[in-house]
Amino acid sequence: MTPEHPWHAERTLTEAVVTPWILEAAPWLAGADVRAFSSGWDNAAFLVGEDLVVRFPRRRLAVDLLEVETRVLPHLVGRLSVRVPAPELVGRSPDEQAWPFVGYRLLPGTTACRAGLGEDERAGLAAPQGHFLGGLHTIDVAEARAFGAGGDVLGRVEPTERGERALDALAEAATEGWLQASAVSVLGRMIASVLDAEPEPRATALCHGDLYARHLLVEDGRLTGVIDWGDVHVGDPAVDLAVSLAFLPHAARPAFERAYAARAPLPDQRGRLLARLRAIGHSLTLLQYGQRGAEPELAFEARRTLHLLAQEFEDPESCSRGPGRLS
């Protein structure tokens, strides 16, 4: 694992390291078990007692993201159609870095990438996803900025840079044999078609910014929560709408779009192209992460998405496509 990968950790976090930090910020938790819970690109999470999840940045970039999330989430709790984490414990590590950490009550459900969902089960989540995103994207941008959401400083749907990264990741996937050769060829053409169109992002909505299977909670066929809001920002809604391409079967996307359109405008051709590039580029990065980080469920999600999108692009007659479809 090399430093240029986005999941490279800049500090090691263990139960022994974080327990005294938690107790200094919340001495009333003395005696509670502290157990490693999960680890992602930006943060490591620990479960305190039975239901308090405390997240700690693993790298410097995540510090700013966690601070933004902590400012924004209190203004979203109870406002959207599914539950989001509510910050309850805020502290800073007592070392020289003084990086923040934040605790939230555990939300019900399992991350969608670990739920073993079939295509029909994914389709059942289409309308709830569309309803959730439609509500999020209609929050007033001026209000969002006032309660602490900044702009997209990372250029999450900036086509030139993201397209080049996607092509580099696609080349690695081809070299390593992670994707079928036919899919690699089609995906290369798909990326090129977006770059040729030169779509420009527009900052018109409050966006989650990193919406994919790992950040969707599901239980008994329901969408129960959306987690990990470190990438929340005012930006182009295409960054979130990519989830419909990456997660849902093609036949379920009309249900997503109807639910979304009841709250917010569907994207234009420019937005659809950016959503497509985001779905491809993010999935290629997930494929790298899943393969090199030994997380097979994420590698599966990425391969499923990439082969599905390549098939749809190569053989559009096999799918019914109506006006405004995100794909």
Side-chain angles (χ1 to χ4, degrees):
M1 192 176 299
T2 55
E4 64 269 16
H5 286 140
W7 56 85
H8 174 70
E10 296 172 15
R11 68 174 180 176
T12 301
L13 296 165
T14 65
E15 293 155 352
V17 170
V18 305
T19 296
W21 298 353
I22 294 170
L23 294 182
E24 181 171 322
W28 58 89
L29 293 173
D33 290 335
V34 178
R35 292 162 286 165
F37 185 67
S38 66
S39 183
W41 297 1
D42 294 330
N43 302 286
F46 294 82
L47 185 64
V48 183
E50 295 300 320
D51 65 350
L52 183 68
V53 178
V54 185
R55 296 168 68 224
F56 297 81
R58 300 172 67 235
R59 56 192 185 122
R60 180 63 186 82
L61 174 64
V63 171
D64 295 337
L65 301 181
L66 192 62
E67 289 177 337
V68 171
E69 173 182 314
T70 305
R71 292 197 301 268
V72 171
L73 277 177
H75 299 274
L76 302 183
V77 173
R79 189 169 181 173
L80 301 171
S81 59
V82 299
R83 296 177 66 180
V84 301
E88 291 188 14
L89 171 65
V90 179
R92 288 190 176 272
S93 61
D95 57 6
E96 62 182 17
Q97 291 175 313
W99 286 3
F101 57 88
V102 184
Y104 324 78
R105 293 297 160 185
L106 186 66
L107 297 181
T110 302
T111 56
C113 61
R114 293 184 175 177
L117 300 175
E119 296 302 295
D120 288 345
E121 293 168 304
R122 289 172 186 263
L125 298 172
Q129 282 185 27
H131 187 65
F132 160 75
L133 278 180
L136 177 66
H137 291 171
T138 51
I139 291 175
D140 182 73
V141 167
E143 180 189 1
R145 293 188 187 279
F147 59 60
D152 185 7
V153 297
L154 298 181
R156 294 169 179 85
V157 288
E158 197 288 313
T160 300
E161 179 182 353
R162 295 293 169 171
E164 291 174 354
R165 289 189 188 184
L167 290 171
D168 289 343
L170 184 62
E172 181 180 24
T175 300
E176 298 292 338
W178 295 337
L179 293 172
Q180 297 173 8
S182 58
V184 170
S185 175
V186 176
L187 290 166
R189 298 204 307 272
M190 293 176 74
I191 295 168
S193 71
V194 177
L195 296 181
D196 287 346
E198 299 181 338
E200 288 295 325
R202 298 172 186 166
T204 60
L206 179 65
C207 304
H208 177 280
D210 193 21
L211 196 60
Y212 70 108
R214 194 173 196 172
H215 297 158
L216 302 173
L217 296 180
V218 297
E219 186 176 62
D220 298 329
R222 297 177 295 111
L223 180 65
T224 58
V226 175
I227 59 174
D228 200 335
W229 288 75
D231 287 83
V232 65
H233 66 278
V234 172
D236 196 300
V239 71
D240 290 342
L241 293 171
V243 72
S244 73
L245 306 180
F247 182 79
L248 298 174
H250 185 88
R253 292 183 202 145
F256 172 92
E257 291 166 7
R258 286 192 296 271
Y260 183 83
R263 307 290 300 277
L266 286 171
D268 56 13
Q269 178 64 11
R270 175 206 57 82
R272 292 194 294 273
L273 288 171
L274 290 175
R276 177 189 292 174
L277 181 60
R278 170 69 180 183
I280 295 171
H282 191 262
S283 295
L284 285 166
T285 302
L286 281 185
L287 183 60
Q288 292 176 314
Y289 179 58
Q291 292 291 149
R292 300 208 178 280
E295 296 206 29
E297 69 276 6
L298 292 182
F300 171 83
E301 282 291 328
R303 276 194 296 271
R304 175 195 167 277
T305 294
L306 294 165
H307 283 127
L308 178 64
L309 292 178
Q311 179 183 16
E312 292 174 354
F313 187 81
E314 183 73 348
D315 187 15
E317 296 303 319
S318 67
C319 304
S320 59
R321 298 172 185 268
R325 295 285 173 86
L326 292 173
S327 53

